[in-house]
Amino acid sequence: MHPVLRLVPIFIAFFILVADRPVLAAEVVSVQDAYERAAKNEITLVDVRHPDEWRATGIPKGAKPITFHDPEGVAGFVNEVRDAVNGKLDRPVALIGNRGGRSTRAQWALEEFGFKNILNVREGIKGNVIDGWGWLSAKLPMTPYKK
């Protein structure tokens, strides 16, 4: 078999997985911007990580800890975020995870359920090579998580 033909199943799988996804509509914001805007109450900052991660590092100051790992699944997560913004689906919501993966998946879920103004703090708590060093490296304030 020609080596290029071995890649065909990979390309098919890739297009099946992403073809039904909308183009990423969320604005990507830096950790510094998210921190400043949350402090001014211009956005609702949501930390989508797991409670074990919150206990290990704390949560960003001003963030609401709403895990994407909700026991009721994605619908439970969406309902928690909807409650956090008092049902105002056009309220700017900034999502932060560890390194950008979960915040992107959470973004897709919220957009699917009608949220109109999602911001992605894709840099995350620990950073990534594309977006930046992260909240912790920027030495932005954290609040201990005590539950």
Side-chain angles (χ1 to χ4, degrees):
M1 178 184 282
H2 191 276
V4 172
L5 293 177
R6 291 183 182 161
L7 297 176
V8 170
I10 294 169
F11 286 115
I12 291 171
F14 174 77
F15 286 111
I16 289 171
L17 291 172
V18 300
D20 66 336
R21 289 280 175 220
V23 175
L24 294 180
E27 176 185 349
V28 175
V29 296
S30 71
V31 292
Q32 185 68 43
D33 188 34
Y35 171 66
E36 291 170 3
R37 291 171 76 177
K40 295 176 190 173
N41 200 31
E42 294 175 357
I43 62 170
T44 299
L45 180 59
V46 176
D47 187 335
V48 301
R49 297 177 302 145
H50 190 274
D52 289 343
E53 293 171 290
W54 300 333
R55 282 187 279 279
T57 64
I59 60 170
K61 184 175 181 182
K64 297 184 180 299
I66 304 175
T67 183
F68 193 60
H69 305 279
D70 190 283
E72 296 178 22
V74 172
F77 167 74
V78 170
N79 286 333
E80 291 282 330
V81 176
R82 185 180 295 127
D83 290 347
V85 296
N86 298 316
K88 297 176 183 171
L89 302 185
D90 59 347
R91 165 93 174 139
V93 176
L95 305 169
I96 188 167
N98 209 32
R99 297 185 188 274
R102 269 176 290 188
S103 62
T104 299
R105 290 190 302 278
Q107 165 204 328
W108 290 340
L110 293 175
E111 287 172 346
E112 191 74 26
F113 281 86
F115 284 78
K116 306 287 185 222
N117 198 353
I118 305 299
L119 308 170
N120 192 341
V121 190
R122 213 169 51 195
E123 190 174 341
I125 298 297
K126 294 188 176 176
N128 65 63
V129 296
I130 296 171
D131 300 301
W133 295 105
W135 193 282
L136 293 175
S137 291
K139 300 196 183 319
L140 294 170
M142 300 289 282
T143 303
Y145 181 74
K146 299 178 182 175
K147 292 184 184 177

